[in-house]
């Protein structure tokens, strides 16, 4: 009798194990997301739409809303107890928690002793320090920005990493990193070489640099800080924070004279962004190339009747050239091409070209060329007139680009066309020392409670995120 009962118990254990394995398998399976569906080829996307049902979609949405409504209702007990359990840094409380945190941060500003980082070092750089004055002793400290002034210096737009950092920490400040200082010093020494000769042991200076590295390692932030520094120094900087926008959206036409594809709307936006900060400098610089601008097809209006070219007056400035492309959609694309040539011959001030999402220019664009009534050929980014004018780094101009792994471009080969072999360099994630300073800063900004902040805990956060800045910022409030 007991043997029979034992066999039944053993069978139940095996059955439970099998059911648990099955549950784990089901839990780990995830259907394709909307983002994944969006990357389907046109033909597959058409098939997907053909087999979609509005009725089934509506029912699924209704079920989802019902399930969310059920989940939102507490099952007994005091609903306020759950919010109290979450604490100051939880999701409950909403506006009350934010108001409380804002009040405490305002009170903390009156206590300078809180502005202390690891090993008693200052958490922030001195008040009147500029980006040009930062030195290696400032590594690991935070540089405070005036947010309004920052947006004025970078009117093209702030990098998403900067906006996320400002919004989460509630302070417009960024970490001073060794990798940024190395990038700044590289271009500073090229524009203003030192008086004494090099001993040959230093780092080789590069006029063209491509920053590569893991996702969320700070490449875009470093580029934005570099542009800020260069503009503070009086340089002429063409800054493209979203290179992917050059290859997506708007009208596109094949130029019969060049064989490239013109994108007049993108060209107009490029010129508008360039003139936002550089207007005063562009008014001082004379055009060196006076060949007439060839007119192309306008955005949605076709060719201009009665004119094929637009003359460049002898006394024109670069500002006049840019305005010509902004006012005339037919001239916009070729004005961007001419601007690239003009930037190469500017000698009065240092010129720097900064391209974020640079890897988007080494893959296919959003545009397609019809080949047959039922097929299209994807157009590569190098076939676009504007990209072709700015993509190459085989020149003597100062230029820096950064790969963005958030744009789903994929991994590119090491030796890129039109890029010097030694131009590509790795941009690191946070080191252990940098992560320590970051965690102390988040402690100062009340993203984590002081009673749970220990060396062991912040190191766990660092190793769990593998030095990823965005993940560390997200994990710090969960420190217990």
């Amino acid at each position: 009798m007991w043997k029979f009962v034992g066999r039944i118990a053993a069978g139940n254990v095996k059955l439970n194990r099998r059911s648990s394995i099955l549950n784990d398998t089901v839990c780990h399976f995830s259907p394709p997301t909307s983002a994944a569906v969006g990357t389907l080829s046109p033909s597959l996307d058409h098939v997907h739409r053909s087999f979609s049902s509005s009725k089934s979609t509506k029912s699924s949405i209704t079920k989802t809303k019902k399930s969310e409504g059920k989940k939102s209702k507490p099952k007994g007990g005091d609903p306020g107890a759950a919010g109290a359990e979450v604490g100051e840094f939880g999701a409950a409380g909403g506006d009350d928690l934010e108001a409380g945190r804002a009040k405490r941060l305002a009170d903390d500003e009156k206590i300078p002793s809180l502005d202390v980082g690891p090993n008693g070092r200052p958490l922030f750089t001195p008040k009147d320090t500029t980006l040009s004055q930062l030195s290696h002793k400032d590594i690991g400290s935070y540089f405070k920005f005036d947010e309004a002034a920052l947006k004025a210096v970078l009117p093209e737009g702030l990098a998403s990493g900067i906006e996320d950092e400002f919004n989460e920490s509630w302070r417009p400040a960024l970490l001073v990193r060794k990798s940024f200082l190395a990038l700044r010093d590289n271009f500073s020494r090229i524009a203003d070489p030192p008086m004494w000769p090099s001993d040959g042991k230093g780092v080789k200076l590069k006029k063209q640099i491509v920053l590569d590295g893991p996702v969320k390692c700070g490449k875009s932030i470093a580029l934005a800080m570099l542009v800020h520094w260069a503009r503070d120094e009086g340089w002429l900087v063409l800054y493209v924070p979203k290179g992917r926008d050059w290859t997506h959206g708007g009208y596109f036409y094949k130029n019969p004279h060049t064989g490239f594809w013109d994108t007049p709307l993108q060209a107009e936006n490029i010129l508008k962004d360039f003139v936002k900060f550089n207007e005063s400098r562009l008014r001082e610089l004379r055009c060196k190339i006076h060949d007439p601008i060839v007119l192309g097809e306008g955005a949605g209006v076709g060719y201009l009747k009665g004119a094929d070219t637009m003359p460049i007056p002898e006394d024109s400035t670069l500002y006049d050239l840019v305005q010509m492309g902004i006012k005339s959609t037919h001239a916009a694309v070729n004005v961007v091409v001419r601007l690239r040539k003009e930037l190469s011959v500017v000698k009065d001030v240092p010129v720097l070209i900064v391209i974020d999402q640079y890897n988007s220019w080494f893959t296919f664009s959003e545009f397609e060329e019809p080949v047959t009534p039922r097929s299209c050929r994807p157009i590569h980014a190098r076939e676009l007139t504007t990209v072709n004018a700015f993509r190459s780094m085989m020149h003597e101009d100062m230029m820096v680009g950064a790969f963005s792994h958030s744009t789903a471009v994929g991994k590119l080969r090491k030796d890129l066309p039109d890029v010097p072999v030694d131009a590509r360099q790795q941009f690191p994630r946070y080191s252990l020392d940098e992560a320590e300073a970051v965690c102390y800063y988040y402690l100062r900004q009340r993203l984590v409670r002081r009673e749970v902040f220990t060396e062991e805990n912040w190191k766990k956060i660092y190793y769990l995120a593998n030095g990823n800045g965005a993940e560390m910022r997200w994990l710090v409030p969960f420190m217990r």
Side-chain angles (χ1 to χ4, degrees), residues 1-8:
M1 178 66 180
W2 292 111
K3 291 182 180 179
F4 179 72
V5 174
R7 290 176 183 175
I8 294 176

Side-chain angles (χ1 to χ4, degrees), residues 95-325:
D95 297 338
D96 293 338
L97 289 178
E98 292 185 358
R101 182 186 172 198
K103 182 179 183 303
R104 282 183 283 271
L105 286 175
D107 295 338
D108 291 346
E109 290 295 325
K110 305 173 184 178
I111 310 175
S113 59
L114 295 177
D115 299 338
V116 178
N119 301 321
R121 293 177 300 177
L123 191 59
F124 300 101
T125 58
K127 185 177 180 180
D128 297 329
T129 304
T130 63
L131 289 174
S132 302
Q133 297 171 339
L134 294 177
S135 62
H136 284 270
K137 68 179 182 180
D138 297 310
I139 294 175
S141 300
Y142 271 78
F143 183 87
K144 296 180 182 178
F145 291 92
D146 181 283
E147 195 165 0
L150 179 63
K151 291 180 178 179
V153 176
L154 301 175
E156 299 89 346
L158 299 182
S160 59
I162 295 179
E163 291 182 340
D164 293 342
E165 177 69 18
F166 289 0
N167 293 335
E168 294 294 330
S169 65
W170 289 17
R171 183 190 293 272
L174 295 173
L175 181 69
V176 179
R177 303 184 62 187
K178 181 179 179 181
S179 47
F180 162 70
L181 294 184
L183 190 65
R184 181 203 64 179
D185 294 343
N186 174 81
F187 290 107
S188 177
R189 290 167 184 165
I190 292 174
D192 187 15
M195 297 295 293
W196 57 90
S198 174
D199 56 2
K201 297 181 181 180
V203 179
K204 179 183 177 181
L205 300 181
K206 299 178 182 179
K207 286 188 174 182
Q208 300 84 27
I209 294 177
V210 177
L211 299 180
D212 194 3
V215 63
K216 299 297 181 182
C217 65
K219 300 181 292 294
S220 298
I221 294 178
L223 286 191
M225 294 178 69
L226 179 69
V227 173
H228 192 305
W229 162 79
R231 286 177 171 172
D232 286 348
E233 293 293 301
W235 291 22
L236 180 62
V237 183
L238 188 144
Y239 177 41
V240 183
K242 295 181 179 179
R244 185 176 180 272
D245 289 350
W246 288 32
T247 63
H248 287 68
Y251 296 94
F252 62 104
Y253 311 103
K254 191 163 187 176
N255 192 315
H257 303 289
T258 63
F260 291 105
W261 294 83
D262 292 349
T263 50
L265 287 181
Q266 277 88 341
E268 182 181 344
N269 291 332
I270 293 167
L271 297 172
K272 287 180 178 179
D273 285 344
F274 183 55
V275 80
K276 284 178 181 176
F277 181 85
N278 299 303
E279 180 178 347
S280 59
R281 179 66 70 182
L282 294 176
R283 289 181 181 274
E284 301 172 356
L285 299 173
R286 299 284 180 179
C287 291
K288 302 294 180 62
I289 305 172
H290 297 92
D291 297 336
I293 298 293
V294 179
L295 300 180
E297 195 168 350
V301 295
Y303 287 96
L304 186 64
K305 295 181 179 180
D308 297 328
T309 60
M310 187 174 291
I312 302 292
E314 290 291 330
D315 59 344
S316 296
T317 63
L318 291 185
Y319 177 78
D320 298 328
L321 176 67
V322 171
Q323 287 298 317
M324 183 184 300

